[in-house]
Amino acid sequence: MAANESGLHNRTLRQVSGLLRDGQVSSVELTEAMLARIEAVDPAIRAFITVTPDLALDHARRADEMIAHWRNGTIDTLHPLAGVPLAIKDVILVEGVPATCGSRILENFRPPFSATVIEKLLAAGVVILGKTNTDEFAMGSSTENSAFFTTRNPWDTTRVPGGSSGGSAAAVAARMAFGALGSDTGGSIRQPASLCGVVGIKPSYGRVSRYGLVAFASSLDQIGPLARTVGDAALILGTIAGHDPKDSTAMRLAMPDCYHRFEYATDLKGLRVGVPKEYFIEGMQSEVETAVRDAVKVMESLGAEAREVSLPHTEYALPVYYLIAPAEASANLARYDGVRYGLRVGGEGLGVRDEGLWDEYRNTRGVGFGAEVKRRIMIGTYALSSGYYDAYYLRAQKVRTLIKGDFDAAFKEVDVIACPVTPTTAFKIGEKADNPLEMYLSDVFTLPANLAGICGISLPCGFDTAGLPIGLQLMGPAFGEERILKVAAAYEAVTGWHTRPPGV
Ligand code: GLN
């Protein structure tokens, strides 16, 4: 436990990166400290599905060699992430490490290759601590849909951490990792970041390769970072972004080096901030509205100019998302047939009799998928079936274009949009578990960005009277990451919300 007492886990990513570079700590020591921290804290939080101590120490030894080579001049540059321990959401493949996606159907699946984002992190010298809990196939907003267990919010363990990247958000908030990867299809990075008081970025669609991300809804999914500061999240994003020959949707655009650029820039003169009137709805927690409006005032005090904007089709985002995402999911999840991956249940002799094969599909999928996943497969299959396709799926695609048009129009008037991330702070475990529609409402303010393909960030902007964190969302146009990161970094620099630790 000596390692846990070192207090290393309380440092930010940028701080430990400096310690590693200066030789004040080795990556092996740092990794041992974090593994001890996980052992001490995770039984109460349950952020990790799989912890990978051997792999982590392997990575750490490799990183220490990299640092030694850099110090004696054999290599010229050292990536700032070299030797830094991170956590990875369990929908992102790491070669040889179980990737369950929070599902029974993939319980024993060990991928034979790593996602492109993992290859990039490993090339930088990152240490992978393990795989974090998620709602099954990233479908949910609380991690309660995980087939294994629910992750607890480090600020109050009777509450959810949000989802679906709740394991990653809780791991970062509870100081079990200096940063993490999540995935965001409709809010799954930003909403848990908000509920756990950390920073989360949903990159523009096409900013980051999806190769090796287990697909939920391919036209909406993006991998992105979670960390304790804007700069730390920007650094991870800069490392994983960029073109990938294995994913033709990953754009050939360099990500600006936001990490080194924004540290001390707090001048927002000339910046136009739009506050969408449709994002302050009846039934939302008044403390959330107050905190967000106060955050806008802080930006004004830094020289920004705030004005109300309208995104008139906002009310359709939820129904549109819940047609398009399940439609794509129903197609993507067809591959779990008991033959190619993971679980296989029953059916006699494969393909010997047709009935045997059908039984095997039915049994495997019946046992392997949880209730929410089955609900989505049914909705999606229905929306895509002949006779209903035009009325539901095609109609939803048309309205999606109108939602994108709202943002195009708004970004002619303003540079960034500031709004809440989610209507309430962390809710109690079990509170919404039996009410899918209420659960879906957690993402009303995050889904539109995915439908429009634009970027968004969630960062801490206050606490409610129960001491639970509140998040601020900043949205920018497609490939406008530099802009929202600059504003977020300025806001963070003059407020102290991100420095307060949870009680664990
Ligand atoms: N909560 C939303 C859903 O259940 C979004 C999930 C996500 O972004 N992966 O679909």
Side-chain angles (χ1 to χ4, degrees):
M1 217 48 18
N4 198 31
E5 283 152 17
S6 67
L8 279 168
H9 58 269
N10 281 321
R11 308 294 188 108
T12 64
L13 193 162
R14 182 187 285 258
Q15 287 167 345
V16 293
S17 171
L19 294 177
L20 287 161
R21 199 166 270 256
D22 298 345
Q24 293 182 46
V25 68
S26 71
S27 180
V28 168
E29 285 163 353
L30 187 61
T31 301
E32 282 171 346
M34 295 312 276
L35 290 169
R37 173 74 182 166
I38 292 170
E39 215 175 284
V41 171
D42 204 42
I45 303 296
R46 311 209 68 189
F48 286 88
I49 293 181
T50 309
V51 182
T52 53
D54 295 342
L55 185 72
L57 289 167
D58 261 5
H59 291 162
R61 279 188 285 270
R62 271 226 315 267
D64 282 334
E65 276 170 34
M66 221 183 244
I67 296 167
H69 284 309
W70 171 72
R71 199 162 289 132
N72 68 28
T74 333
I75 54 171
D76 295 338
T77 53
L78 184 68
H79 194 286
L81 285 180
V84 176
L86 302 180
I88 308 293
K89 185 180 183 181
D90 211 19
V91 293
I92 299 168
L93 305 185
V94 180
E95 185 184 338
V97 177
T100 69
C101 299
S103 183
R104 292 267 169 230
I105 212 159
L106 285 178
E107 200 167 352
N108 298 312
F109 172 60
R110 281 174 194 266
F113 64 94
S114 288
T116 297
V117 292
I118 298 298
E119 301 285 4
K120 290 188 176 192
L121 289 179
L122 292 178
V126 160
V127 171
I128 293 177
L129 292 167
K131 307 292 297 291
T132 54
N133 198 20
T134 167
D135 289 292
E136 187 172 2
F137 288 104
M139 297 175 189
S141 309
S142 68
T143 79
E144 289 165 294
N145 293 337
S146 165
F148 307 116
F149 47 82
T150 299
T151 298
R152 317 226 149 214
N153 190 310
W155 295 88
D156 175 349
T157 53
T158 66
R159 293 174 187 271
V160 302
S164 61
S165 312
S168 285
V172 172
R175 274 85 170 134
M176 292 188 274
F178 296 104
L181 293 187
S183 65
D184 193 311
T185 303
S188 278
I189 291 174
R190 289 161 288 161
Q191 186 258 14
S194 175
L195 268 41
C196 288
V198 300
V199 175
I201 304 172
K202 179 233 144 350
S204 309
Y205 188 78
R207 177 63 90 180
V208 178
S209 165
R210 290 176 294 110
Y211 181 76
L213 166 68
V214 175
F216 164 8
S218 309
S219 77
L220 301 160
D221 298 339
Q222 272 293 289
I223 296 171
L226 296 103
R228 280 181 17 228
T229 71
V230 173
D232 290 352
L235 173 61
I236 300 173
L237 176 59
T239 311
I240 60 173
H243 178 64
D244 177 9
K246 293 176 183 142
D247 174 3
S248 58
T249 66
M251 298 286 283
R252 213 175 275 281
L253 272 178
M255 176 68 202
D257 179 5
C258 301
Y259 178 68
H260 290 101
R261 257 164 74 191
F262 299 149
E263 206 176 358
Y264 306 108
T266 57
D267 184 4
L268 297 182
K269 206 162 291 148
L271 181 89
R272 298 164 304 167
V273 179
V275 182
K277 61 171 190 236
E278 292 82 2
Y279 280 55
F280 296 90
I281 56 174
E282 209 180 304
M284 74 187 279
Q285 197 174 326
S286 63
E287 293 158 298
V288 172
E289 169 158 5
T290 306
V292 170
R293 294 208 187 269
D294 285 350
V296 174
K297 285 184 198 138
V298 171
M299 290 182 240
E300 287 180 304
S301 75
L302 298 178
E305 183 195 305
R307 67 177 78 157
E308 190 179 84
V309 291
S310 176
L311 300 165
H313 297 94
T314 299
E315 63 173 306
Y316 304 112
L318 197 78
V320 164
Y321 174 88
Y322 278 100
L323 287 168
I324 292 176
E328 294 184 15
S330 71
N332 277 324
L333 269 53
R335 72 190 68 176
Y336 305 108
D337 54 6
V339 178
R340 286 170 289 183
Y341 308 89
L343 185 76
R344 174 184 297 180
V345 182
E348 311 126 358
L350 182 62
V352 175
R353 279 175 24 227
D354 261 359
E355 258 170 32
L357 186 58
W358 282 111
D359 279 348
E360 181 166 308
Y361 291 161
R362 199 176 294 120
N363 292 343
T364 301
R365 291 168 69 85
V367 172
F369 288 137
E372 183 63 27
V373 173
K374 287 177 184 161
R375 184 178 297 123
R376 307 255 181 140
I377 292 172
M378 286 191 284
I379 295 172
T381 308
Y382 184 84
L384 289 177
S385 55
S386 97
Y388 295 105
Y389 179 91
D390 289 354
Y392 293 108
Y393 182 73
L394 206 59
R395 171 80 54 107
Q397 290 290 19
K398 289 178 178 168
V399 181
R400 179 179 187 174
T401 304
L402 296 175
I403 291 167
K404 182 182 174 296
D406 284 356
F407 285 106
D408 291 345
F411 286 123
K412 288 201 177 102
E413 280 177 54
V414 296
D415 302 305
V416 299
I417 288 173
C419 60
V421 180
T422 181
T424 67
T425 54
F427 45 92
K428 291 266 185 196
I429 291 171
E431 194 181 319
K432 301 186 182 181
D434 299 326
N435 189 339
L437 285 180
E438 221 184 285
M439 187 74 85
Y440 296 170
L441 268 173
S442 306
D443 296 305
V444 273
F445 303 143
T446 47
L447 306 168
N450 300 75
L451 291 168
I454 64 175
C455 60
I457 183 170
S458 168
L459 70 159
C461 74
F463 292 88
D464 69 5
T465 44
L468 298 167
I470 300 172
L472 165 70
Q473 179 172 214
L474 296 171
M475 290 189 277
F479 302 100
E481 276 85 352
E482 184 172 2
R483 209 186 284 177
I484 57 169
L485 289 170
K486 181 172 181 236
V487 182
Y491 175 81
E492 182 185 77
V494 299
T495 56
W497 304 116
H498 65 290
T499 58
R500 199 189 295 185
V504 287

